[in-house]
Amino acid sequence: GLQEDDWTTKQASIEMLGSMSHCAPKQLASCLPNIVPKLTEAFSDTHPKVKGSAASSLEEISKVIRNPEISEIASTLLQALTDPSNGTVVALESLIETEFLHAIDAASLSLIVPVIHRGLRDRAATTKRYGALIAGNIVTMINDPKDFVPYLPILLPDLQSVLLDPIPDCRSIAAKALGSLTRSLGEATFPDLRPWLIDVLRSEKGTSVERSGAAQGLTELLCAGGTGLVNEVMKDEILPLIDHPKANTREGVLWVLTFLPSSLGQSFASLIDASFPALISGLSDENESVRDVAMRAGRVTIRSHGKAHVDKILPSLEDGLSNEDYRIRAASLNLLGDLLSTLAGTKVSKGDIDTQEDIRQAERAQAQIALVLGPDTRKRVLSGLYLRRSDTAAVVRQAAVRVWKSVVSVTPRTLREILDSLVEQIVNALASGHPDHTQVAGRCLGDIVSKLGDMVLPEIMPILKDALYKGDTYTRLGACVGLTEVIGCSTKEQITKYLDILVRVVEEALCDDDEGVRKMAASCFQNLYSVVGNKAFDEIVPQLLASMESGDDHSRARAINGITGILSIRSKELLPYLVSRLVKSRPITRNQASALGSICTVTGGSIHAFFGTIVPALLSELTDLFNVELDEDEKSREEALRKCVQSLCSSVEEIGVNALIGEVASKCSSDKEGTRKE
């Protein structure tokens, strides 16, 4: 009858609906969800008697309310139904302020739900918050929660809409309301809710705000189902999506990890091992929004569970410090700073730490960290943190310095305390074979040498020496990098004190079989020469020459490697001495000829200055062997001389070609046939 145009028919229909308030309680509970919405619609009718009948019918319904608290505010609720624009907020505030001591009956529910419905659809954020808050709480105050089920088709779409609201408070309260409904009515009552939430998380069209709301709602829904449901859904459905090709899906997963730790409480501990690698992966994502959410999720996890589960969180952060992606290293440092601050009860400063209060705070932080982590773990963590101060990426170095200053008050003292652990990490990084790790370790080693000097040198020198004598190729290369930094950062007095060890170690590296090691050793020799001058030549070169002229092929080859390595960087100083040593004595032996040929290959830009000495000597030697019956040794010597000539001619650079041609041409008029032929 309410659909008829005749107002009298409408009026009679409304009066009949109002009379149904006198039905039995069970009948009333099933009828009111349909009756009250129809009565409220009648208030929009143009005929005043229809409106009056609707008001009278609602009053009849209010008379059968058995809840005394609702009876007291029934007039306010009726006013909200008859004049929604002015009465909704007042009615919602009255409901929030009311202290309920009795269960809410079906008649009360029929008046409250339409008010909540209007509140959730209001444009004002405060009104939506009130509506969501009451919707979540009221279901816990009903005698039979099933009385609320008929109203779900009205309220659930509204709560879903508020869950995606731009206002964070609205989303949060709507999510809690969904959790409360699920807890009271069971998830089976909402079969489509979880799939809808996951679809929003994965939606390409949705915004980051909407994914945040969906994640919050999903979190509350899962928590309402218990820890078992959370573990099952997270491990089987949510966490596998972290590798999804779509950035919006990966972001949705991380939003869930942002809200789950604080909502689930200590029960989240079982998920830390599975979820933290996903967070670390998100920190290096190519999408900036995903990286931001991953950082937020990591900080929430640390803030919620850092103290209680440091043993689960710390290993992932330590692994992140040495990750190849600089973003993960920087983010891991920031999260490590948050973790250490949580353990110490301090904050990571964003600026310089210079005041006395900051220093005292760092002292307290360090003591508390040592108490929580234990001495060995503290040394390992601080060593990894200090190592990152020498990182190849500026953003990582800055983060490391900031975190270090927040927990360390006196750097030299702390370095002395953690020196054994720090040196171990440096040596491992030097021997890793990874170029960046080796470079970072070398820089760090130079840094601690400059800070601690004589304290660290006696400990590090034997380690580097053993690495060069006994290590594999990567270890030897790393040792050279470390040695270069040690020499570069030490004072002349310190170098002089350890010169005997240094020259033997550098000599060993210069003679190495691996070209990369020899190249790095040449840089090491350059640093040594810049500090002690010609003493570096005096200590190393005679030993190499003696080995070069010996009969041991292996020793001779290593000595030639060492000589050519030095010549590649200091040919101007060393070449005159070598040429004189190798050419002036006659006859030129096979070993000397081989050595001279090797020298020519690395000094093509400067050897021409000595053509006046070298070319005549070689031609003279070959002339003496012309038309002479040679034994095996002489044949071997001749072959070495000719190879030396070939190396000389093929290695000379453009600047020395004229000198070479001129020197050879001057011998063409020699009266000796052998000289002219050669």
Side-chain angles (χ1 to χ4, degrees), residues 390-661:
S390 302
D391 198 272
T392 53
V395 65
V396 179
R397 295 196 299 272
Q398 292 165 3
V401 169
R402 187 171 64 251
V403 175
W404 176 267
K405 286 185 175 181
S406 68
V407 295
V408 173
S409 56
V410 183
T411 295
R413 184 182 67 194
T414 304
L415 285 179
R416 288 193 293 270
E417 294 172 355
I418 66 171
L419 188 59
D420 54 344
S421 177
L422 180 56
V423 169
E424 181 182 355
Q425 290 193 26
I426 288 174
V427 172
N428 290 337
L430 288 173
S432 66
H434 192 289
D436 286 346
H437 294 176
T438 302
Q439 182 180 357
V440 169
R443 286 180 179 177
C444 184
L445 183 57
D447 183 48
I448 62 173
V449 167
S450 64
K451 284 185 170 67
L452 301 182
D454 289 337
M455 177 171 291
V456 71
L457 283 175
E459 184 167 344
I460 195 65
M461 290 305 301
I463 295 175
L464 294 178
K465 182 179 178 181
D466 289 344
L468 279 169
Y469 280 102
K470 302 175 183 178
D472 57 16
T473 300
Y474 290 133
T475 303
R476 299 197 304 274
L477 183 60
C480 284
V481 174
L483 195 59
T484 302
E485 292 291 340
V486 167
I487 295 172
C489 296
S490 300
T491 63
K492 186 174 182 178
E493 290 75 15
Q494 290 168 341
I495 294 295
T496 303
K497 183 177 180 180
Y498 295 96
L499 187 60
D500 290 342
I501 298 176
L502 284 171
V503 294
R504 298 286 76 84
V505 173
V506 172
E507 179 184 339
E508 179 67 23
L510 285 168
C511 299
D512 198 272
D513 296 330
D514 184 78
E515 184 179 355
V517 176
R518 295 198 301 271
K519 186 176 180 180
M520 186 55 65
S523 299
C524 188
F525 178 84
Q526 172 72 4
N527 278 9
L528 185 62
Y529 180 85
S530 64
V531 176
V532 299
N534 288 330
K535 190 179 289 188
F537 284 125
D538 298 339
E539 294 288 342
I540 294 177
V541 174
Q543 294 283 347
L544 294 177
L545 287 175
S547 298
M548 189 172 62
E549 295 173 359
S550 72
D552 184 348
D553 289 343
H554 180 67
S555 298
R556 185 170 63 254
R558 285 175 54 82
I560 291 174
N561 286 340
I563 290 291
T564 53
I566 298 174
L567 284 171
S568 65
I569 56 171
R570 307 300 305 186
S571 61
K572 183 178 178 181
E573 294 84 355
L574 183 58
L575 200 53
Y577 176 76
L578 289 176
V579 170
S580 174
R581 177 76 177 259
L582 295 174
V583 173
K584 289 296 177 66
S585 61
R586 299 295 178 85
I588 299 176
T589 66
R590 178 175 66 88
N591 292 345
Q592 290 173 328
S594 298
L596 185 58
S598 299
I599 289 170
C600 291
T601 60
V602 296
T603 57
S606 56
I607 195 68
H608 62 274
F610 303 92
F611 283 164
T613 302
I614 296 174
V615 173
L618 291 175
L619 288 176
S620 175
E621 291 291 323
L622 290 171
T623 300
D624 292 344
L625 298 174
F626 181 69
N627 281 340
V628 176
E629 187 174 345
L630 305 176
D631 58 20
E632 290 300 322
D633 290 340
E634 289 297 305
K635 286 180 181 180
S636 176
R637 189 169 75 89
E638 180 186 23
E639 183 181 356
L641 288 167
R642 294 194 182 282
K643 285 184 178 180
C644 179
V645 172
Q646 291 174 359
S647 297
L648 177 67
C649 295
S650 61
S651 302
V652 65
E653 295 181 3
E654 184 178 351
I655 191 174
V657 172
N658 288 336
L660 178 61
I661 293 174

Side-chain angles (χ1 to χ4, degrees), residues 143-162:
N143 264 335
D144 186 357
K146 292 181 180 179
D147 290 344
F148 198 77
V149 174
Y151 297 101
L152 289 179
I154 300 173
L155 294 181
L156 191 57
D158 297 336
L159 286 172
Q160 288 174 303
S161 177
V162 177

Side-chain angles (χ1 to χ4, degrees), residues 167-280:
I167 307 299
D169 280 354
C170 293
R171 298 197 300 271
S172 176
I173 296 174
K176 286 181 171 60
L178 288 175
S180 177
L181 290 173
T182 304
R183 198 173 289 107
S184 299
L185 304 176
E187 190 180 352
T189 311
F190 316 93
D192 299 326
L193 183 55
R194 195 204 305 173
W196 175 79
L197 291 169
I198 294 177
D199 286 344
V200 175
L201 283 178
R202 303 180 61 175
S203 174
E204 294 184 39
K205 298 180 180 179
T207 64
S208 182
V209 167
E210 291 174 348
R211 284 188 285 274
S212 168
Q216 205 163 357
L218 181 62
T219 296
E220 294 293 339
L221 184 143
L222 294 178
C223 290
T227 306
L229 179 65
V230 174
N231 289 335
E232 178 185 346
V233 173
M234 288 299 297
K235 292 179 179 179
D236 296 343
E237 298 183 40
I238 304 300
L239 289 177
L241 296 176
I242 195 64
D243 297 322
H244 196 276
K246 300 292 185 181
N248 49 278
T249 301
R250 300 194 299 272
E251 182 187 337
V253 174
L254 292 168
W255 273 121
V256 175
L257 293 177
T258 301
F259 297 112
L260 193 59
S262 52
S263 297
L264 198 57
Q266 291 304 313
S267 298
F268 183 74
S270 60
L271 284 171
I272 291 178
D273 290 337
S275 63
F276 223 78
L279 296 180
I280 298 297

